[in-house]
């Protein structure tokens, strides 16, 4: 038990280091939480608010802070044990609720991919996340991005229920899914105003923008 608690703490600490906030702040004197529209301290905003090279560095570090502790933990603990779910989810929880930023962390997409990279070859969850992410971003496009992310994580979790045999990994993925949805749903309600659309490539199948939603609510449509 102590081994699992130790690696859970290590993984959480690793995830809580907000590289995408620290590197722009220290080396570029830029606070991406103030420069970006959504205030998210993630590498996506580093690309748009700072520079592409800085964004690439931050992306690599965000992936690594999820992959390295999981990869290391698997050398000492078994993914078959139910307590491994905590080890698996810890980097994402550390990022999403970082003590460094007083629990106002990032949206945890990059660190999730890093965590799932660290699980290879013990689980196929990396591909279960990557495939729907690409599919919902290209072929059957779901907009806005926040809704696309939430849908992708739910689909990934559903896929694990059918493919993954280890209950610990399913539970870990469930904790990650709920954490990521929690970090996204506020933006979807406040900033995206519950708009949605689904397109087959460039052809809009159905959807509703904020103006249509307001007209429907007031009975003017």
């Amino acid at each position: 038990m102590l081994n699992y608690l130790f690696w859970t703490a290590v993984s959480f600490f690793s995830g809580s280091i907000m590289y995408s906030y620290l590197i722009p702040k220290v080396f570029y004197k830029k606070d991406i939480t103030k420069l970006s529209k959504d205030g998210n301290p993630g590498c996506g905003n580093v690309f748009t608010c700072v520079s592409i090279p800085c964004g690439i560095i931050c992306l690599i570090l965000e992936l690594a802070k999820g992959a390295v502790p999981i990869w290391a933990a698997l050398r000492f603990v078994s993914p078959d044990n139910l307590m491994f779910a905590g080890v698996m989810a810890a980097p994402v929880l550390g990022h999403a609720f970082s003590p460094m930023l007083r629990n106002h962390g990032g949206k945890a997409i990059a660190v999730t991919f890093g965590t799932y990279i660290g699980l290879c070859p013990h689980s196929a969850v990396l591909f279960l996340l990557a495939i729907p992410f690409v599919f919902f971003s290209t072929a059957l496009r779901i907009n806005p991005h926040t809704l696309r992310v939430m849908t992708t994580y739910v689909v990934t979790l559903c896929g694990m229920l059918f493919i993954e045999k280890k209950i610990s990994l399913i539970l870990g993925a469930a904790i990650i899914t709920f954490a990521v949805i929690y970090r996204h749903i506020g933006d979807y309600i406040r900033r995206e105003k519950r708009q949605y659309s689904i397109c087959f490539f460039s052809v809009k199948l159905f959807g509703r923008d904020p103006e249509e939603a307001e007209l429907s609510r007031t009975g003017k449509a």
Side-chain angles (χ1 to χ4, degrees):
M1 178 182 291
L2 290 178
N3 279 343
Y4 288 95
L5 293 177
F6 171 77
W7 284 107
T8 298
V10 169
S11 297
F12 184 89
F13 174 76
S14 177
S16 68
I17 303 174
M18 307 301 289
Y19 296 106
S20 294
Y21 172 80
L22 289 173
I23 292 177
K25 187 80 169 177
V26 172
F27 294 100
Y28 293 85
K29 310 302 179 183
K30 292 184 177 182
D31 186 342
I32 63 169
T33 63
K34 296 179 179 178
L35 294 174
S36 57
K37 292 181 180 179
D38 60 0
N40 177 48
C43 58
N45 283 333
V46 179
F47 279 98
T48 57
C49 298
V50 184
S51 68
I52 292 177
C54 184
I56 293 173
I57 293 172
C58 290
L59 175 59
I60 293 172
L61 291 173
E62 297 288 357
L63 291 171
K65 76 179 187 179
V68 172
I70 298 300
W71 176 85
L74 286 169
R75 270 62 192 162
F76 299 93
V77 297
S78 171
D80 297 322
N81 192 299
L82 197 60
M83 291 190 69
F84 188 80
V87 180
M88 173 180 168
V92 175
L93 295 177
H95 180 86
F97 307 100
S98 175
M100 183 178 293
L101 297 180
R102 299 180 181 180
N103 297 327
H104 296 292
K107 295 181 178 178
I109 298 174
V111 70
T112 299
F113 273 98
T115 298
Y116 291 169
I117 289 171
L119 285 172
C120 296
H122 296 274
S123 174
V125 64
L126 174 64
F127 303 100
L128 289 177
L129 179 64
I131 291 172
F133 222 118
V134 173
F135 180 73
F136 292 138
S137 299
T138 55
L140 193 66
R141 293 184 59 196
I142 298 177
N143 292 306
H145 177 70
T146 50
L147 185 58
R148 182 186 313 146
V149 170
M150 291 188 288
T151 302
T152 297
Y153 274 73
V154 170
V155 169
T156 300
L157 181 59
C158 291
M160 286 198 73
L161 294 175
F162 290 98
I163 296 175
E164 183 56 61
K165 296 180 180 179
K166 295 182 177 68
I167 301 299
S168 59
L169 300 189
I170 296 175
L171 179 58
I175 297 171
I176 290 172
T177 298
F178 286 117
V180 171
I181 289 176
Y182 176 82
R183 295 301 301 166
H184 279 79
I185 198 165
D187 268 3
Y188 180 63
I189 294 173
R190 291 191 306 269
R191 297 181 61 250
E192 309 293 355
K193 303 184 187 302
R194 294 187 175 89
Q195 64 177 308
Y196 64 90
S197 68
I198 296 180
C199 305
F200 182 67
F201 291 100
S202 60
V203 179
K204 183 177 178 179
L205 301 179
F206 61 86
R208 184 168 64 175
D209 57 33
E211 289 75 15
E212 290 174 333
E214 180 63 19
L215 288 173
S216 176
R217 187 183 69 81
T218 57
K220 295 180 181 180

